[in-house]
Amino acid sequence: MLVPARFLVGQPSLTDAIAAAVASELTPVTRLDPDLFALPPTDGARWLVLVDGVDEVPDISARRRVLRTIAGFMRDGDADHYRFVVATRHPAAGELDVFGSAVPRYTLLPFNDEEITELAAGWFGVPDADDTAARFTGLLRRTGYIDLARVPLIAVMLCLLYQAHGELPRGRRSDVYEEFIRHLRTRATERYDTTEQAEEALKRWGGTTVERGRRTMDHLPSLIERFAAQRREGETSLSPVDFLAGQPEAECPSEDLELRDHAWRRFLEEALLRSGLLTRRPGGLEFPHWTVLEYLAARHRTRDAEACSAELRRLIDRRWTKAPGVFFRHRTWSMSRHATDPLIALWRGIPAPIDRTDMSYAGFVLDAARRRDPEGTDRRLLEVAQRGGVEGGTFVALQARSGTAVPDEISTAALSTLVAVATSPPTRAVTGCERVLAADTLLRIDDERGVTALEDIAKDPDIIDVVDPWNLRSHHLQSLLFALIPLILYWPQLAVLSLPLIFFGPFDHVRARSISRRETIAALGALFRNPVFRSEARVQAARALSAFGDRRGYRSMASSLAKLAEDSTLDAVGRARLLKESSELEQESLAPHRHR
């Protein structure tokens, strides 16, 4: 049973969500009793539930509730007749930990050169398919699309465009989507009736209705982009037709019930299908893929100079922040952390965090912004790359890697920032998570210094045993007091708030160190388990993780290394090395360790 994750949002129970999803696959009016799924389908059998598109739940809290609901149901003793498969793009760090370590995880690996050629040969299906595929992959290299084509979806899009036009668009990832959407519109025009024929159904309602229909068609592209932006930002209660009917540019010109509730809605649905940007699926009209929705949403958010500037402020400018505490006032840029000054946060608002999934949308916005204001956009990106710390460097480096139009100067600045963090000497106050994130990003962009950084950690794990100031509650209290200084001058009694700093500070430091260590171990563990990275990097991550672990974790770490050695994505040398490391850890399991 295919259950889109959005069906799990707002449903009273998991069985209600499953019933609603399955019913939508049948007919629009079908209703199923949730109790149907409370029992096994037959004796000895189980329901197989594929929960797809978890990343398409835009609200992070709602997404986590969906995952907790599934995990809780799996732990329920009455749920033995279910088996779940959960599919998502780029889960945030720790997002899937709710399922525990016993639940296996699989990663869809990017295509290599041979697989791209094999896909192309199968796609074109002509007598000289192998030669055509070879010409296609050669063109990918000449146009700079070869790395983008390692993503299966984009590889298919490029195959389709090459098959239709015999060439590829020149430019970046956004240009591929622009050409793909143009292709969808052209194909829809060929498949469906003409606009004039669509208007025929409105003629019986008079010239005013026909004129309103033409006006709706004129505004349809911008209306679809507006709907995509609202859907991406969490508005899921309205169907595309309901949304369109509520817009001034597409509202029904009459209160006649037959026209408003039937003929006009049929006209709107047909108009959406003729656009080529939505397809009819069980449960209603949907965009062909979430990234198509993101591209259209970005077009809406950058539709004019004012809107584009506002979106850049939200995406870039409002993410500059400072670590908490009066004595930790260095300015940095963060995808996930917010300004610690309460007054600044109230004034500027708190932006939603950017996770790996949102990087796709951000790339579309940046490309559109560079077309409008290349100098201003590049100035913003360069500052993020140079002064934004490890998160700023990661943001820019991954944007360049994913096909966003990032100038070489800015990419080089981001790389320099990442290398400085990943290989910084122990005297520099770089937290463990920052150092591991820098190494992780360097590995993602195929820079060997990521492996070197992990080797340094394995040799001297003390360099990542650094307290993260964001984990110090006393520093957050310092920030609050600092913001309230003007009030304290007029109301000295408020100074009593500083008393907890005196008594709580030492205990808070111990607590913060423990949290910082757990976060660092989690970051190393995620890198260690990621099959996208080559064997040498994962082995070094495992060595760094074992070196940083404490005495209680040695036996479990030895077991983890031995299990990783069975991974078929590792080469023979890597597996042999992990088995050796596992054996050594078992022998050292009773020895004291410096990290307590």
Side-chain angles (χ1 to χ4, degrees):
M1 299 177 291
L2 175 63
V3 181
R6 66 178 187 278
F7 276 87
L8 275 68
V9 179
Q11 290 286 354
S13 70
L14 189 59
T15 53
D16 284 280
I18 294 173
V22 174
S24 72
E25 295 277 346
L26 302 175
T27 66
V29 296
T30 302
R31 295 290 183 270
L32 294 178
D33 187 349
D35 291 340
L36 173 66
F37 303 100
L39 298 173
T42 187
D43 290 342
R46 293 189 293 178
W47 297 106
L48 177 61
V49 183
L50 171 59
V51 181
D52 190 24
V54 173
D55 55 286
E56 296 176 13
V57 178
D59 182 76
I60 294 178
S61 299
R63 190 160 67 231
R64 289 173 178 168
R65 284 196 300 272
V66 166
L67 295 174
R68 285 198 300 269
T69 298
I70 299 171
F73 200 78
M74 290 168 58
R75 288 191 293 267
D76 191 338
D78 297 328
D80 293 338
H81 54 281
Y82 283 92
R83 187 179 184 187
F84 289 92
V85 178
V86 180
T88 181
R89 287 187 305 156
H90 310 301
E95 196 168 57
L96 300 180
D97 291 349
V98 66
F99 295 114
S101 59
V103 175
R105 303 178 190 180
Y106 302 91
T107 300
L108 183 64
L109 297 176
F111 285 151
N112 57 34
D113 290 359
E114 292 76 15
E115 289 166 337
I116 293 174
T117 304
E118 182 180 350
L119 169 69
W123 180 273
F124 299 136
V126 294
D128 60 342
D130 291 340
D131 293 338
T132 304
R135 290 195 298 271
F136 172 71
T137 51
L139 183 59
L140 289 178
R141 293 187 181 91
R142 291 195 300 274
T143 55
Y145 283 135
I146 189 67
D147 285 331
L148 272 180
R150 302 191 192 285
V151 179
L153 172 68
I154 296 183
V156 169
M157 291 167 60
L158 290 168
C159 284
L160 190 152
L161 293 175
Y162 183 76
Q163 186 179 39
H165 307 294
E167 58 183 6
L168 295 176
R170 297 279 179 173
R172 297 287 184 166
R173 174 171 169 264
S174 293
D175 299 290
V176 175
Y177 275 83
E178 183 177 353
E179 287 298 319
F180 179 68
I181 285 174
R182 185 177 291 117
H183 175 81
L184 290 178
R185 285 172 171 156
T186 301
R187 192 173 64 177
T189 301
E190 297 169 352
R191 180 183 303 174
Y192 295 100
D193 295 336
T194 63
T195 302
E196 289 76 13
Q197 290 172 318
E199 292 174 356
E200 283 294 326
L202 299 178
K203 283 187 176 180
R204 59 170 291 208
W205 303 99
T208 302
T209 303
V210 173
E211 184 60 33
R212 182 60 62 85
R214 290 172 181 163
R215 179 190 175 195
T216 298
M217 296 300 293
D218 290 340
H219 288 88
L220 189 62
S222 62
L223 289 171
I224 293 176
E225 290 170 3
R226 189 186 306 170
F227 172 71
Q230 292 202 11
R231 174 62 64 88
R232 180 191 166 273
E233 290 158 14
E235 175 51 68
T236 58
S237 60
L238 294 177
S239 70
V241 174
D242 290 334
F243 173 84
L244 228 60
Q247 301 303 304
E249 302 92 332
E251 63 183 356
C252 182
S254 171
E255 290 299 318
D256 184 288
L257 293 182
E258 185 180 354
L259 172 62
R260 187 188 65 190
D261 295 343
H262 300 285
W264 187 254
R265 290 181 65 85
R266 283 197 300 272
F267 167 75
L268 294 179
E269 182 173 356
E270 289 300 315
L272 289 169
L273 288 172
R274 285 186 181 86
S275 72
L277 301 182
L278 290 104
T279 58
R280 197 191 304 276
R281 292 182 181 175
L285 301 182
E286 294 289 344
F287 291 98
H289 192 267
W290 187 256
T291 53
V292 172
L293 178 149
E294 291 175 330
Y295 174 78
L296 295 171
R299 283 180 59 90
H300 176 71
R301 292 302 177 200
T302 58
R303 61 191 178 277
D304 54 44
E306 182 179 357
C308 184
S309 179
E311 189 66 359
L312 280 181
R313 286 195 299 271
R314 185 198 68 81
L315 188 67
I316 302 293
D317 299 347
R318 288 169 55 193
R319 298 186 183 277
W320 287 100
T321 184
K322 296 179 180 179
V326 176
F327 302 108
F328 294 88
R329 306 300 294 173
H330 57 278
R331 188 169 180 257
T332 189
W333 191 90
S334 177
M335 291 184 279
S336 56
R337 287 164 170 165
H338 310 305
T340 56
D341 292 329
L343 297 181
I344 293 178
L346 287 174
W347 172 51
R348 295 167 58 187
I350 298 177
I354 300 175
D355 58 23
R356 290 294 172 107
T357 303
D358 293 323
M359 293 285 282
S360 169
Y361 168 77
F364 291 135
V365 170
L366 291 173
D367 279 345
R370 288 196 80 248
R371 291 191 183 100
R372 289 191 175 276
D373 180 16
E375 292 184 4
T377 304
D378 289 350
R379 185 173 60 251
R380 281 180 163 103
L381 280 180
L382 182 60
E383 186 178 12
V384 171
Q386 289 179 332
R387 301 184 178 90
V390 65
E391 288 197 58
T394 291
F395 176 79
V396 174
L398 293 184
Q399 286 297 336
R401 181 69 171 185
S402 64
T404 304
V406 178
D408 292 341
E409 175 193 4
I410 300 176
S411 296
T412 301
L415 180 61
S416 298
T417 298
L418 292 169
V419 171
V421 173
T423 61
S424 61
T427 55
R428 183 177 172 182
V430 174
T431 68
C433 281
E434 289 175 333
R435 196 180 292 267
V436 174
L437 175 59
D440 180 289
T441 306
L442 289 172
L443 292 172
R444 291 178 186 275
I445 61 176
D446 299 327
D447 192 298
E448 288 296 322
R449 285 169 289 192
V451 178
T452 302
L454 293 174
E455 291 175 347
D456 293 341
I457 295 172
K459 293 174 183 175
D460 182 13
D462 283 333
I463 63 176
I464 58 172
D465 194 16
V466 179
V467 175
D468 189 338
W470 289 90
N471 291 327
L472 287 164
R473 293 176 181 172
S474 56
H475 284 182
H476 287 278
L477 184 56
Q478 282 183 10
S479 297
L480 176 62
L481 291 174
F482 190 73
L484 293 177
I485 282 178
L487 292 178
I488 292 175
L489 294 176
Y490 291 97
W491 193 7
Q493 290 86 344
L494 282 176
V496 73
L497 292 175
S498 64
L499 292 178
L501 290 176
I502 301 174
F503 300 103
F504 179 59
F507 300 100
D508 185 40
H509 196 275
V510 173
R511 183 196 63 85
R513 179 175 292 277
S514 175
I515 295 174
S516 300
R517 284 176 174 174
R518 287 201 302 270
E519 291 176 346
T520 301
I521 288 173
L524 276 171
L527 197 159
F528 156 75
R529 291 189 298 268
N530 194 335
V532 172
F533 299 138
R534 60 189 182 85
S535 299
E536 177 63 19
R538 295 169 67 188
V539 169
Q540 293 301 332
R543 292 183 65 241
L545 188 57
S546 64
F548 191 63
D550 62 12
R551 178 178 173 182
R552 293 168 298 175
Y554 260 107
R555 289 187 182 276
S556 61
M557 182 55 59
S559 174
S560 297
L561 292 177
K563 185 175 181 180
L564 181 58
E566 302 172 0
D567 193 329
S568 61
T569 62
L570 285 172
D571 57 31
V573 175
R575 290 196 294 269
R577 188 167 182 178
L578 286 176
L579 287 173
K580 181 181 178 182
E581 295 277 347
S582 174
S583 176
E584 292 175 353
L585 283 174
E586 284 286 1
Q587 295 174 8
E588 295 178 12
S589 60
L590 299 179
H593 200 269
R594 57 180 146 182
H595 289 289
R596 295 290 183 180

